[in-house]
Amino acid sequence: MIYGFAYLGMVLAISLGWVVLAVLKKPDFIEKPLGELKNKIRPFINQKDDQ
């Protein structure tokens, strides 16, 4: 039974982590590098073939 509670706690902790990462505003030291990285790779992702 203790393993069931441990498993439930692990699942809830992981779910809470994903919610925090996905929903809450990220601090500037995380958000700024992510924005710069997105701007750098955006031209490579949205390439259009001129055929």
Side-chain angles (χ1 to χ4, degrees):
M1 187 165 152
I2 189 70
Y3 293 115
F5 287 126
Y7 183 76
L8 178 64
M10 182 182 65
V11 169
L12 291 175
I14 292 171
S15 299
L16 179 65
W18 276 107
V19 167
V20 166
L21 289 175
V23 175
L24 297 180
K25 185 177 181 327
K26 295 168 193 61
D28 287 339
F29 69 90
I30 295 174
E31 191 68 36
K32 186 177 177 185
L34 279 178
E36 292 174 1
L37 181 64
K38 287 178 189 177
N39 289 335
K40 286 180 183 176
I41 63 173
R42 188 169 284 135
F44 298 108
I45 294 174
N46 293 331
Q47 287 180 349
K48 294 183 180 177
D49 294 329
D50 295 331
Q51 294 179 357

